[in-house]
Amino acid sequence: MRGPEGTEVKVTVVRNEEEIEFNITREKIKFNYISSEVLENNVGYIKISSFEGNCANDFEEAYKELEGKGIKSLIIDLRNNGGGLVDQCLDIADLIVPKGATTLITVDKEKNEEVSKSNKEPIINMPIVVLVNEYTASASEILTGAIKENVEASVVGTTTYGKGVIQGIYLLSDKKTGLKVTIQEYFTPNRNKIHKTGITPDYEIELPEEWQGKSTVEKEYDTQLQKAIELLK
């Protein structure tokens, strides 16, 4: 059903054995990967569900809105975030770590290194806690490592997934099929390995058993969030 914005498409739906037709106008769909709120004690909270689209800009806007509401500290929730676009997570890191600080090291099979560094002055200068769990992976681990090793921030939760490789996609001559090939491994700014190892939090906190494996947890039972708030008091 993809097509130019503003054009119509006819959709036929079968409902209770009856065919129903709808004329739908195509529009751009904007996915929201950032959610935010102010918690107790003027603690700001930003959850990043995935590093897709322009989530770095959305993150910056969310932070500035929270800052305008008088927050004194910040929780960045990366739990259940399986990754996404590396450039988006590095753009978010640029808002937090000192200018010129290393944010990521990538190494290919020939041991050639590429070092990414923050290229702007940070706008977030307040205590930070990062929430992670066993489903925090890839770009989320890059951001966690960049924050953990460059600023005085704490990491709370459980050890992250441990996906520390980057794949490249190569289109074959038929222009329809391709190969996805691992081309680089990445490391934290202090050259700590992530792949199949993960990042161990500063405070290892498990959720109550009945809430483990669930995508959302009610605040009163969220022991990891409660620990983060406690650290920021």
Side-chain angles (χ1 to χ4, degrees):
M1 290 185 286
R2 291 182 177 181
E5 184 178 10
T7 59
E8 287 193 349
V9 59
K10 182 181 289 186
V11 178
T12 303
V13 177
V14 178
R15 183 181 297 164
N16 296 326
E17 299 182 357
E18 179 186 0
E19 290 190 0
I20 306 172
E21 291 188 347
F22 295 93
N23 289 318
I24 299 175
T25 302
R26 294 183 175 96
E27 294 182 3
K28 287 184 179 179
I29 299 174
K30 181 177 178 3
F31 292 96
N32 187 9
Y33 300 104
I34 304 291
S35 58
S36 62
E37 62 180 299
V38 179
L39 304 177
E40 58 188 274
N41 300 317
N42 293 319
V43 175
Y45 171 89
I46 300 179
K47 180 174 181 61
I48 309 173
S49 61
S50 182
F51 293 96
E52 302 291 345
N54 293 313
C55 74
N57 288 335
D58 294 340
F59 178 92
E60 183 174 357
E61 289 177 7
Y63 170 74
K64 288 179 177 178
E65 182 177 342
L66 294 176
E67 186 182 33
K69 294 179 179 179
I71 65 168
K72 304 299 181 185
S73 56
L74 181 64
I75 295 171
I76 300 175
D77 192 346
L78 297 176
R79 293 177 295 180
N80 303 311
N81 183 331
L85 302 173
V86 173
D87 64 331
Q88 292 297 304
C89 88
L90 292 180
D91 285 348
I92 292 174
D94 285 356
L95 302 173
I96 300 168
V97 308
K99 183 178 181 179
T102 297
T103 52
L104 175 66
I105 299 171
T106 58
V107 182
D108 65 18
K109 68 177 182 179
E110 304 297 336
K111 305 300 181 182
N112 298 312
E113 288 189 357
E114 293 181 15
V115 179
S116 299
K117 294 180 179 290
S118 175
N119 55 21
K120 62 175 68 173
E121 296 293 341
I123 65 170
I124 301 177
N125 297 292
M126 60 178 62
I128 294 174
V129 172
V130 181
L131 292 176
V132 299
N133 65 7
E134 61 271 27
Y135 303 111
T136 300
S138 193
S140 294
E141 293 173 293
I142 291 175
L143 181 59
T144 301
I147 295 174
K148 178 180 170 69
E149 296 181 1
N150 279 300
V151 299
E152 293 183 5
S154 297
V155 179
V156 172
T158 55
T159 300
T160 62
Y161 182 83
K163 182 182 182 298
V165 293
I166 298 173
Q167 283 87 32
I169 297 177
Y170 297 90
L171 198 63
L172 299 182
S173 58
D174 62 5
K175 306 299 182 183
K176 295 179 181 180
T177 55
L179 293 174
K180 189 175 184 180
V181 181
T182 297
I183 56 175
Q184 291 177 313
E185 182 175 3
Y186 59 76
F187 297 84
T188 70
N190 291 344
R191 298 182 183 278
N192 288 313
K193 184 180 179 67
I194 291 176
H195 195 56
K196 296 185 178 180
T197 301
I199 296 174
T200 302
D202 301 299
Y203 299 87
E204 292 200 56
I205 306 292
E206 292 276 2
L207 291 173
E209 186 175 351
E210 63 271 24
W211 290 96
Q212 292 180 14
K214 295 190 176 181
S215 58
T216 58
V217 182
E218 292 182 17
K219 287 189 179 67
E220 61 182 303
Y221 301 106
D222 193 339
T223 50
Q224 295 166 342
L225 177 63
Q226 291 168 4
K227 180 63 176 180
I229 294 172
E230 175 191 325
L231 291 170
L232 294 171
K233 285 182 179 178

